[in-house]
Amino acid sequence: MSEETTGVATSDPTKGEIGILERRRIEAAIIAPLYEQMREEIGEEKAQAILERTIRAAAIAAAKGFAERTPGGTSLSTFRDLQALWTKDDALTIEVLVATDQQFDYNVHRCRYAEAYEEMGLGHIGHLLSCNRDSVFCQGYDPRIQLERTQTIMGGASHCDFRYRLVDETEGGTP
């Protein structure tokens, strides 16, 4: 049955979306020459600061878009469902440690995002192009979701440690 016949929203917020790895490659190809021009004109530090702010704002906007298309409202469970876009095309090799309504913990053991940026000669800003988005994306999607991550492959670690929590405001969380 379709949404039209049941009157119930059944849309999948990931429907019609390309995988995030492919999206990041396309974005990086566009960003690279702009970033290089900024770097030449205003210096590495200022160019990276502009890139960081811009990417974070784009992540929040993208997350809000996903949230608006999530039937029934957002939760850690619906957030977890979005993971399919980040792992699509074998982009990440992950080990899920905990997946509940309140907690989603996993480790990334292979990150093709990092590999792609290295191949494109953008390894030095890969953390700004991808890792920089993670904590603000979850906040844009649902302010109750918080991420703690202490290391990334992009930063030279053996794995990335993602630890998401659904924090209730009454429990002293800062959504």
Side-chain angles (χ1 to χ4, degrees):
M1 282 189 183
S2 72
E3 181 177 329
E4 294 162 345
T5 60
T6 64
V8 176
T10 57
S11 63
D12 174 356
T14 65
K15 186 174 183 163
E17 294 283 336
I18 64 171
I20 302 300
L21 178 60
E22 185 58 27
R23 180 183 306 252
R24 295 295 175 261
R25 286 180 202 250
I26 294 166
E27 291 170 351
I30 295 166
I31 290 170
L34 294 170
Y35 173 76
E36 284 306 312
Q37 189 66 44
M38 285 191 311
R39 190 184 58 73
E40 288 175 18
E41 291 187 23
I42 62 174
E44 185 83 22
E45 189 176 318
K46 286 182 181 177
Q48 284 195 17
I50 291 168
L51 184 59
E52 178 178 7
R53 286 192 310 271
T54 303
I55 295 294
R56 290 173 70 87
I60 291 169
K64 287 180 178 182
F66 279 112
E68 289 169 2
R69 296 189 313 271
T70 301
T74 60
S75 67
L76 190 55
S77 178
T78 61
F79 180 79
R80 208 171 43 243
D81 292 343
L82 295 176
Q83 186 74 22
L85 290 172
W86 275 262
T87 58
K88 188 174 185 174
D89 303 321
D90 242 359
L92 298 172
T93 302
I94 67 169
E95 170 192 14
V96 175
L97 306 171
V98 178
T100 69
D101 290 343
Q102 301 297 315
Q103 182 178 345
F104 181 39
D105 296 353
Y106 63 91
N107 292 332
V108 174
H109 294 287
R110 180 178 183 201
C111 177
R112 290 190 55 213
Y113 298 90
E115 294 168 15
Y117 295 134
E118 283 296 326
E119 291 166 7
M120 297 175 82
L122 299 172
H124 64 293
I125 59 170
H127 65 290
L128 296 174
L129 298 173
S130 280
C131 306
N132 181 44
R133 302 172 188 255
D134 297 331
S135 65
V136 293
F137 184 90
C138 65
Q139 290 291 296
Y141 183 75
D142 184 329
R144 300 171 302 158
I145 300 174
Q146 296 180 354
L147 168 64
E148 181 180 331
R149 186 183 54 216
T150 63
Q151 61 186 34
T152 64
I153 292 170
M154 200 99 55
S158 63
H159 66 282
C160 308
D161 58 344
F162 285 81
R163 305 297 184 259
Y164 291 101
R165 299 290 178 273
L166 185 67
V167 178
D168 186 342
E169 291 180 53
T170 61
E171 294 174 8
T174 40

